[in-house]
């Protein structure tokens, strides 16, 4: 016996190829791919006749509970987020550690990440994870870019963290253009990937005050406070700053046609601009923030409040096209779950209608790490919004692994190199995989899913996840 597991008679689908072959797995690694491997060489055999085998999903944008809590009291921990991920075919998640702004000196950022790692390791995890760092504060001093460069270099050396995210909106997190230049200078020097949350925070603030003054406070007006040009302007500005600094950037959770256009234009000019979108922008729309599931409770739309907000129905087509034509490099969930029912839990909980239900207090974000792969398999591949299964694999598995430095261990099926994190789908005929989504299937800690009641024709029948 050579292999721990043999998968026979399936079609392998990667980001570049689709072909019939058997896969032998030893010690959690892809050991061999060959035309006909005899079952007697393996302890266990899965017959994947009629099935398609893809790499496990890599979700590169997930928020979990962590010591600094910049995103408020998110309810999923690394334990429950990885559980939820695996339940929907995602076998690697990349979450966030936040900068502890009280720490100073060259090790300030790596110490911030250390705390998060300790925190995340406290409970059993269901799959591998990585971390990005959220930058919360950059000193506006003359030497800030050099201080930051040293801190980022040691972050990469000490922790292997190779990506940071900064925000152009949110009180307390919004970076000035001056700080953005400092960040971009330092990330370019230290070779760190720069993730941008692009929304013009000053417009959002102005619009929020104006809407409140008119008494327009319901969840729906969160979206009105940040129309698509708010994202378009910030995206254009960040591209300009990145050209100044000659720094590649990645725009996270892109939802706006103006932003897509700016990114596409920059890419055509040869500027290194990458972009991510999320299933909620491809499948849901701003109507879902009005009132939910036919309930007569106007506040239920708060479950679907996120930033950037859900857009008009017509926007979805533009986003699917941008996924298929390569403008979007990756698709992630931006999983960020807040309990809806326990209204007064924690200081950031603002499903708190005690604050008169004003949209400005609603925590931004929704759960989605579990549903991402099955939703996009159905609404993207099966509904022909993306042109091939290889494209689905590219943006959901391979590219995120490449972008964040874990390819080909993740996102690929390469003998000798890749972990045996694999999914088996049955796209032709899968009565077993035909499912109406409900919250219990998500295996997260959140008390709702924004996708409740949606039907998908496929759910991965097998998810193999080998923890290292
Ligand atoms: N947007 C969200 O909707 N949630 C988490 C963070 C973010 O930027
Ligand atoms: Zn963001
Ligand atoms: Zn996010």
């Amino acid at each position: 016996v050579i292999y721990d597991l043999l998968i026979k008679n399936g079609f392998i689908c990667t980001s570049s190829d689709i072909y019939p072959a058997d896969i032998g797995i030893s010690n959690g690694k892809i050991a061999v791919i060959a035309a006909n491997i005899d079952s007697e060489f393996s302890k266990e055999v899965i017959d994947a006749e009629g099935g398609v085998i893809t790499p496990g999903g890599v979700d590169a944008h997930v928020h979990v509970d962590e010591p600094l809590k910049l995103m408020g009291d998110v309810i999923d921990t690394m334990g429950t987020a990885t559980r939820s991920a695996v339940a929907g075919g995602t076998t690697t998640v990349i979450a966030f550690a936040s900068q502890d702004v009280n720490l100073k000196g060259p090790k300030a950022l790596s110490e911030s990440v250390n705390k998060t790692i300790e925190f995340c390791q406290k409970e059993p995890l269901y799959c591998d994870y990585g971390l990005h760092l959220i930058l919360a504060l950059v000193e506006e001093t003359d030497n800030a870019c050099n201080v930051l460069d040293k801190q980022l270099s040691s972050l990469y050396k000490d922790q292997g963290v190779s990506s940071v995210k900064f925000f152009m909106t949110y009180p307390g997190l919004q970076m000035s253009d001056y700080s953005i230049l400092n960040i971009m200078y330092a990330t370019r020097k230290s070779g760190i990937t720069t993730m941008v949350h692009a929304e013009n925070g000053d417009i959002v603030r102005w619009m929020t005050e104006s809407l409140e003054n008119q008494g327009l406070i319901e969840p729906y007006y969160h979206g009105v406070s940040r129309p698509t040009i708010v994202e378009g302007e910030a995206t254009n500005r960040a591209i300009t700053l990145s050209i100044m600094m000659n720094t590649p950037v990645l725009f996270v959770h892109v939802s706006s046609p103006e932003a897509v256009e700016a990114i596409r234009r920059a890419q055509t000019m040869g500027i290194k601009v990458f972009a991510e979108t999320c299933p909620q922008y491809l499948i849901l729309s701003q109507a879902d923030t009005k009132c939910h599931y036919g309930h007569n409770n106007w506040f239920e739309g708060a479950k679907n409040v996120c930033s950037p907000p859900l857009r008009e129905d017509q926007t979805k087509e533009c986003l699917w096209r941008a996924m298929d034509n390569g403008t979007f490099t990756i698709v992630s969930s931006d999983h960020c779950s807040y309990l809806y029912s326990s209204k007064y839990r924690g200081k950031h909980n603002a499903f708190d209608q005690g604050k008169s239900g004003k949209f400005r207090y609603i925590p931004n974000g929704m759960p989605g790490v579990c549903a991402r792969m099955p939703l996009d398999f159905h609404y993207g591949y099966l509904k022909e919004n993306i042109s091939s299964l290889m494209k689905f694999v590219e943006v959901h598995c391979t590219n995120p692994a490449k972008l964040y430095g874990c390819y080909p261990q993740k996102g690929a099926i390469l003998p000798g190199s890749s972990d045996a994190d694999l999914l088996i789908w049955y796209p032709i005929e899968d009565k077993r995989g035909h499912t109406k989504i409900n919250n219990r299937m998500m295996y997260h800690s959140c008390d709702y899913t924004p996708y409740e009641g949606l039907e998908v024709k496929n759910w991965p029948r097998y998810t193999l996840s080998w923890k290292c």
Side-chain angles (χ1 to χ4, degrees):
V1 173
I2 307 169
Y3 309 117
D4 298 320
L5 178 65
L6 178 60
I7 304 174
K8 282 190 69 64
N9 307 320
F11 270 76
I12 296 176
C13 180
T14 67
S15 62
S16 58
D17 307 289
I18 179 156
Y19 61 103
D22 296 349
I23 305 175
I25 295 164
S26 300
N27 299 320
K29 289 272 186 194
I30 306 292
V32 71
I33 295 177
N36 237 318
I37 307 173
D38 203 311
S39 297
E40 69 186 35
F41 292 129
S42 185
K43 283 185 209 153
E44 254 187 275
V45 178
I46 294 175
D47 182 357
E49 176 84 52
V52 172
I53 303 151
T54 68
V58 179
D59 191 340
H61 190 153
V62 173
H63 298 272
V64 300
D65 191 26
E66 40 108 11
L68 271 297
K69 301 191 197 308
L70 291 187
M71 289 297 134
D73 296 323
V74 296
I75 192 67
D76 277 306
T77 58
M78 191 63 92
T80 62
T82 51
R83 183 180 69 198
S84 181
V86 167
T90 288
T91 52
T92 306
V93 299
I94 312 182
F96 294 88
S98 299
Q99 173 188 11
D100 183 344
V101 296
N102 298 312
L103 297 175
K104 305 278 177 249
K107 298 271 178 194
L109 298 180
S110 41
E111 281 166 22
S112 300
V113 171
N114 256 340
K115 286 189 189 172
T116 303
I117 295 174
E118 274 170 32
F119 191 82
C120 290
Q121 302 284 17
K122 278 192 194 143
E123 51 181 348
L125 306 180
Y126 289 73
C127 66
D128 286 336
Y129 77 94
L131 291 171
H132 316 286
L133 177 78
I134 290 177
L135 285 173
L137 179 74
V138 178
E139 305 283 351
E140 299 224 339
T141 53
D142 280 0
N143 198 31
C145 57
N146 291 316
V147 172
L148 193 55
D149 168 37
K150 287 210 178 67
Q151 292 175 331
L152 288 175
S153 301
S154 90
L155 174 68
Y156 180 64
K157 270 193 222 110
D158 297 348
Q159 313 293 358
V161 170
S162 64
S163 39
V164 295
K165 179 182 179 189
F166 71 84
F167 293 84
M168 298 172 79
T169 186
Y170 286 133
L173 289 173
Q174 182 176 337
M175 294 289 171
S176 66
D177 290 358
Y178 178 76
S179 285
I180 294 173
L181 288 170
N182 279 329
I183 293 170
M184 289 179 174
Y185 172 88
T187 52
R188 185 191 53 159
K189 239 183 137 206
S190 48
I192 298 282
T193 300
T194 314
M195 306 160 77
V196 188
H197 177 128
E199 287 184 293
N200 180 316
D202 288 349
I203 303 183
V204 171
R205 179 178 169 192
W206 196 94
M207 288 293 289
T208 301
E209 288 162 4
S210 167
L211 288 162
E212 272 186 9
N213 287 337
Q214 297 169 69
L216 303 173
I217 58 163
E218 293 91 343
Y220 171 76
Y221 291 102
H222 167 82
V224 179
S225 76
R226 30 181 97 210
T228 53
I229 50 164
V230 167
E231 196 185 331
E233 187 283 325
T235 304
N236 271 300
R237 183 155 40 98
I239 289 171
T240 305
L241 300 173
S242 84
I243 294 171
M244 278 299 297
M245 286 292 141
N246 193 19
T247 307
V249 284
L250 174 117
F251 290 96
V252 291
H253 47 48
V254 174
S255 70
S256 134
E258 291 90 338
V260 170
E261 206 181 304
I263 291 162
R264 185 81 179 158
R265 196 182 331 115
Q267 289 168 336
T268 304
M269 286 163 65
I271 298 160
K272 286 209 172 58
V273 171
F274 302 93
E276 167 199 85
T277 193
C278 315
Q280 54 271 37
Y281 303 117
L282 298 159
I283 291 162
L284 304 177
S285 72
Q286 71 187 177
D288 294 304
T289 62
K290 281 198 166 151
C291 179
H292 223 54
Y293 320 133
H295 286 242
N296 210 7
N297 180 355
W298 63 272
F299 200 67
E300 287 225 5
K303 292 176 175 175
N304 292 331
V305 164
C306 55
S307 289
L310 301 178
R311 304 302 190 183
E312 288 178 358
D313 234 10
Q314 307 91 279
T315 305
K316 296 176 195 169
E317 199 185 324
C318 158
L319 300 178
W320 282 118
R321 205 180 311 127
M323 188 194 306
D324 211 36
N325 73 16
T327 310
F328 290 131
T329 321
I330 62 173
V331 180
S332 317
S333 69
D334 199 4
H335 181 91
C336 191
S337 53
Y338 299 96
L339 278 184
Y340 181 74
S341 55
S342 58
K343 289 178 191 149
Y344 299 99
R345 187 177 238 276
K347 69 176 162 49
H348 288 282
N349 186 330
F351 285 122
D352 177 356
Q353 295 183 47
K355 290 176 175 159
S356 5
K358 288 179 179 165
F359 71 77
R360 78 152 86 200
Y361 298 113
I362 297 169
N364 292 187
M366 55 175 77
V369 69
C370 181
R372 180 186 69 121
M373 293 288 281
L375 279 175
D376 289 356
F377 193 93
H378 180 90
Y379 288 95
Y381 171 59
L382 294 180
K383 295 234 171 226
E384 297 184 2
N385 282 310
I386 42 181
S387 52
S388 75
L389 193 52
M390 289 180 284
K391 187 74 196 177
F392 170 81
V393 172
E394 182 186 329
V395 293
H396 292 83
C397 316
T398 313
N399 282 352
K402 286 182 176 172
L403 197 59
Y404 297 114
C406 51
Y407 178 91
Q409 184 185 347
K410 306 294 184 186
I413 311 182
L414 287 173
S417 303
S418 305
D419 289 348
D421 294 343
L422 297 171
L423 312 180
I424 310 180
W425 308 81
Y426 290 79
I428 310 279
E429 182 58 44
D430 192 12
K431 293 211 171 63
R432 279 206 261 164
H434 195 145
T435 299
K436 206 180 216 185
I437 292 178
N438 68 57
N439 195 44
R440 261 173 301 120
M441 298 163 59
M442 300 295 107
Y443 290 93
H444 55 205
S445 296
C446 196
D447 54 355
Y448 73 94
T449 166
Y451 306 109
E452 184 80 33
L454 287 189
E455 288 189 42
V456 292
K457 284 229 166 82
N458 251 248
W459 200 270
R461 193 179 297 175
Y462 292 88
T463 297
L464 306 180
S465 168
W466 311 71
K467 275 198 308 119
C468 301

